[in-house]
Amino acid sequence: MAVTAAESFVEIKVPQQKLFDGVSFPAVLSPPSSSATVLPLTRSIKAHKPYLESLLLKSGALLFRGFTVNTASDFNDVVEAFGYDELPYVGGAAPRTNVVGRVFTANESPPDQKIPFHHEMAQVPEFPSKLFFFCEVEPASGGETPIVLSHVVYEKMKKRYPEFVERLEEHGLLYIRVLGEDDNPSSKYAIDLPYFVEHA
């Protein structure tokens, strides 16, 4: 007998969630505590991918809580279960190490370095449409990966700084990348120098 999405996932609330236009960000999914037919997360993902993708589209991010995903190998299995094409890490500014399969370290910068909000690999022609994050060893403090909804940031910028946003939309923005010859783990990222592009 097939297991329904409701028997595999239950939406829960966490204190850090935000509400935008009545939609929780991120959507947080947990295994139902009362279900006797809890499937492994990988099987639930494969069985209910359309449901998960519609929830992702609606909310902007999914957070899985309480599932048995303890190692980088477990996490790789979860990523593989979604069946998305693999996008190799080519052209990124941060030094990263391949852990297993599709799993890479997120960033090897010193922990005291803050990383500003950014679009992952936006500087390359082919950038990822989806990102997955996993924490194998929780740090004593810090270590969070904050995420934002880009369209919400855009709308707030447009409302607060309409002339600036109009200039960006009209003229574009050019980044000049300044990279060293070798990876430098002590740097949080390469230096990006933004310039407005004025079209003649």
Side-chain angles (χ1 to χ4, degrees):
M1 182 162 79
V3 177
T4 66
E7 293 173 301
S8 297
F9 302 105
V10 62
E11 269 195 79
I12 63 169
K13 301 293 180 198
V14 295
Q16 300 83 1
Q17 274 177 302
K18 304 293 181 196
L19 207 60
F20 295 104
D21 296 326
V23 178
S24 295
F25 173 78
V28 184
L29 298 173
S30 181
S33 56
S34 60
S35 176
T37 56
V38 175
L39 295 175
L41 180 55
T42 52
R43 284 184 52 204
S44 294
I45 290 168
K46 290 175 184 176
H48 305 295
K49 185 177 172 186
Y51 161 74
L52 295 171
E53 288 185 323
S54 69
L55 187 57
L56 175 61
L57 186 62
K58 177 181 169 187
S59 177
L62 301 179
L63 174 61
F64 294 95
R65 278 274 168 91
F67 293 93
T68 306
V69 181
N70 298 318
T71 66
S73 184
D74 292 344
F75 179 59
N76 186 67
D77 293 343
V78 168
V79 173
E80 292 284 345
F82 277 93
Y84 299 128
D85 291 338
E86 185 170 2
L87 183 70
Y89 184 68
V90 176
R96 294 180 176 165
T97 303
N98 183 231
V99 179
V100 61
R102 295 180 176 200
V103 179
F104 285 76
T105 55
N107 192 299
E108 298 182 8
S109 301
D112 65 331
Q113 298 295 306
K114 293 203 179 291
I115 300 170
F117 290 118
H118 60 282
H119 289 131
E120 185 66 17
M121 297 176 64
Q123 74 279 6
V124 298
E126 196 173 345
F127 47 84
S129 63
K130 294 172 184 64
L131 296 176
F132 293 80
F133 296 96
F134 166 72
C135 177
E136 188 169 25
V137 178
E138 185 178 352
S141 66
E144 300 90 351
T145 301
I147 57 175
V148 296
L149 290 167
S150 296
H151 69 282
V152 172
V153 173
Y154 167 78
E155 290 299 333
K156 288 185 178 196
M157 287 285 296
K158 193 170 183 175
K159 188 175 182 179
R160 192 164 179 185
Y161 306 104
E163 297 85 11
F164 176 70
V165 171
E166 189 176 310
R167 283 184 64 209
L168 287 175
E169 290 174 340
E170 183 180 343
H171 300 293
L173 183 68
L174 173 69
Y175 278 87
I176 296 177
R177 312 233 46 196
V178 180
L179 302 171
E181 293 204 17
D182 298 316
D183 285 344
N184 180 1
S186 67
S187 170
K188 60 182 166 186
Y189 48 77
I191 300 169
D192 286 330
L193 304 173
Y195 289 92
F196 286 101
V197 179
E198 300 288 345
H199 296 287

